[in-house]
Amino acid sequence: QTTFKYFWDFAHPVSGLIREGSKHADNIVTTGGSGFGLMSIVVAMERGFISRDQGLERVEQTVDFLAHKAQKFHGAFSHWLDGTTGAVIPFSQHDDGADIVETSLLVQGLLCVRQYFNRPDVAEVTLRNNINTIANGVEWNWFQQNQQDVLYWHWSANYGWAMNIKIEGWNEGLITYVLAASSKNYAISKSVYDNGWARSGAIKNGRTFMGMELPLGPDYGGPLFFEHYSFLGINPIGLSDGYANYQTQTKNHSLINYNFCKSNPNHYYGYSDSVWGLTASNIKGGYTASSPSNDQGFIAPTAALSSMPFTPDESMAALKFFYYVLGDKIFKEYGFTDAFSLDIEKNKAPWYADNFLAINQGPIIVMIENFRTGLLWNLFTSCPEVKAGMKKLGFSAPYL
């Protein structure tokens, strides 16, 4: 409930979109983080933190802004927007146009909202229609860059395909391929998934790390957000395709991360079975995507807490340590701050972040709710187009 205040009290007052971070300029709102914010509003209504009417009013404000003010490129949004005007704020020199992965994280949230507000009254019907207009307007297959069998991450009106980054697995991009296959007007074919995302099977790992077999991805699994962002909406329980069992993938990646921190091969003071979790976060003097392959001694609370559906016991132990032992050193007005280090040898003294990031706060709310009730999983996978798209790509699950 405290974490939700980031998405409610600290949202941009004009657009309702979610600010990138508590230390960023006030007008910078984040597309993907706003998708997480929409999902957190659903949780807040269900939990009684806010009323359904309050949630509807805020979501209407956000959707209206996205539909009528926010700049779009072939239906897709940029990574950052100005929360007042809707104009692009460049994320980097060439990243001043469409970001199709950020767009998919936003659409994931919009579809959950559409499924939640299912009543026949005029306000909710209008909201659903506006969400459909936004979602159906994304030209997913255009991002194949001239019909290639892969999706590309960015496109700029000023620089074209200059960034030229293919969305290849395994990482947070699974949701992009699922939504692209689900599109009413601009769908990709299964071959784009197989040859692009799955890299003709090269996505597979199959080796064992920290006693756990890892079906997909880089050695040791990479940062934990790989198993969070797409699975805020996609339910991995009982899910499989030609490449992996995703229940095994999500659980084992989380356990590899846990066991790595517990065994602490780099000898950082404070790591334990209750102090674990490596993912992208602020660190002292910067920002990095922490993982077992890039362990600099900084723990991000979102890593263990957003893995709650996959590692409930290990995540709960971390939660209790973060809350009861570290307490107000890291638990503040918007929940847990972004990261910390207890290391008094390599880092000279304990260090505690004093900032919050939307993309790290959101998954905490959504994944704890998915662990408790499966709420967002049930909403997202109830979308008829998502079911059809996932089946088209070769997925099977009890809910499909």
Side-chain angles (χ1 to χ4, degrees):
Q1 187 169 2
T2 303
T3 307
F4 174 66
K5 291 179 181 177
Y6 183 93
F7 298 95
W8 192 253
D9 298 346
F10 193 59
H12 193 280
V14 175
S15 61
L17 293 168
I18 304 307
R19 290 178 167 122
E20 170 74 6
S22 60
K23 293 294 184 76
H24 288 73
D26 278 351
N27 64 320
I28 298 177
V29 296
T30 165
T31 299
S34 293
F36 300 169
L38 289 166
M39 299 172 99
S40 76
I41 287 172
V42 172
V43 175
M45 290 184 291
E46 197 71 4
R47 290 274 154 204
F49 305 161
I50 58 173
S51 69
R52 187 182 178 101
D53 287 345
Q54 286 176 301
L56 177 61
E57 183 181 10
R58 176 65 62 85
V59 168
E60 286 174 327
Q61 175 190 9
T62 302
V63 169
D64 185 70
F65 188 90
L66 290 169
H68 301 116
K69 277 196 174 181
Q71 199 171 353
K72 303 178 192 67
F73 309 86
H74 295 275
F77 297 89
S78 59
H79 192 135
W80 280 349
L81 291 169
D82 185 301
T84 301
T85 67
V88 173
I89 295 177
F91 191 72
S92 63
Q93 181 189 344
H94 295 137
D95 192 356
D96 65 348
D99 183 321
I100 200 66
V101 174
E102 289 285 313
T103 297
S104 18
L105 299 175
L106 176 61
V107 172
Q108 178 179 229
L110 286 168
L111 292 180
C112 288
V113 165
R114 184 194 76 188
Q115 297 302 96
Y116 188 82
F117 286 108
N118 59 1
R119 294 178 182 172
D121 58 84
V122 172
E124 297 197 13
V125 169
T126 301
L127 177 68
R128 294 197 296 273
N129 289 338
N130 286 336
I131 288 173
N132 285 336
T133 299
I134 296 168
N136 293 338
V138 182
E139 299 174 24
W140 303 94
N141 58 3
W142 192 82
F143 289 84
Q144 291 176 236
Q145 193 184 145
N146 304 317
Q147 287 81 53
Q148 295 179 54
D149 259 0
V150 66
L151 292 172
Y152 283 80
W153 205 300
H154 311 89
W155 180 81
S156 161
N158 297 312
Y159 302 103
W161 302 102
M163 294 187 73
N164 216 41
I165 299 172
K166 296 177 179 178
I167 308 171
E168 298 178 314
W170 178 252
N171 55 38
E172 72 274 28
L174 176 65
I175 186 68
T176 307
Y177 279 84
V178 166
L179 288 171
S182 306
S183 174
K184 178 182 178 182
N185 303 317
Y186 303 101
I188 59 166
S189 67
K190 186 176 187 295
S191 67
V192 182
Y193 178 78
D194 290 329
N195 298 320
W197 170 251
R199 295 183 285 129
S200 304
I203 192 174
K204 292 182 180 180
N205 188 307
R207 293 186 289 279
T208 298
F209 305 93
M210 310 306 299
M212 298 285 155
E213 183 181 341
L214 183 68
L216 303 175
D219 288 355
Y220 292 92
L224 273 179
F225 73 84
F226 287 3
E227 309 303 332
H228 297 157
Y229 294 177
S230 291
F231 296 108
L232 299 181
I234 299 170
N235 181 357
I237 308 303
L239 178 68
S240 61
D241 69 356
Y243 305 101
N245 177 308
Y246 292 89
Q247 187 168 344
T248 302
Q249 170 70 20
T250 52
K251 181 177 181 179
N252 286 9
H253 181 194
S254 302
L255 285 172
I256 289 166
N257 199 291
Y258 164 79
N259 284 321
F260 178 87
C261 293
K262 182 180 172 184
S263 63
N264 193 18
N266 295 323
H267 308 293
Y268 289 114
Y269 181 85
Y271 278 31
S272 73
D273 59 359
S274 301
V275 180
W276 66 277
L278 304 175
T279 194
S281 73
N282 284 98
I283 61 173
K284 187 177 181 181
Y287 183 88
T288 194
S290 295
S291 71
S293 304
N294 177 37
D295 174 23
Q296 299 183 38
F298 296 88
I299 299 295
T302 189
L305 302 188
S306 302
S307 296
M308 192 75 71
F310 316 138
T311 51
D313 294 339
E314 296 83 356
S315 295
M316 188 59 75
L319 174 55
K320 288 180 177 177
F321 188 96
F322 299 160
Y323 186 78
Y324 289 116
V325 180
L326 297 181
D328 60 9
K329 291 183 177 68
I330 62 169
F331 192 77
K332 299 184 183 294
E333 65 269 35
Y334 298 132
F336 292 109
T337 59
D338 202 46
F340 65 89
S341 171
L342 300 179
D343 192 76
I344 53 176
E345 296 166 8
K346 296 185 178 67
N347 289 318
K348 308 305 180 193
W351 174 87
Y352 306 100
D354 61 356
N355 72 308
F356 307 88
L357 289 177
I359 55 171
N360 283 348
Q361 299 307 92
I364 294 173
I365 298 170
V366 173
M367 285 307 219
I368 288 176
E369 187 62 34
N370 277 335
F371 167 64
R372 297 175 79 174
T373 69
L375 176 63
L376 284 311
W377 286 345
N378 295 338
L379 289 170
F380 184 73
T381 58
S382 72
C383 297
E385 67 269 48
V386 170
K387 286 180 186 285
M390 291 182 72
K391 287 179 183 176
K392 174 180 168 182
L393 296 181
F395 286 97
S396 63
Y399 55 80
L400 291 178

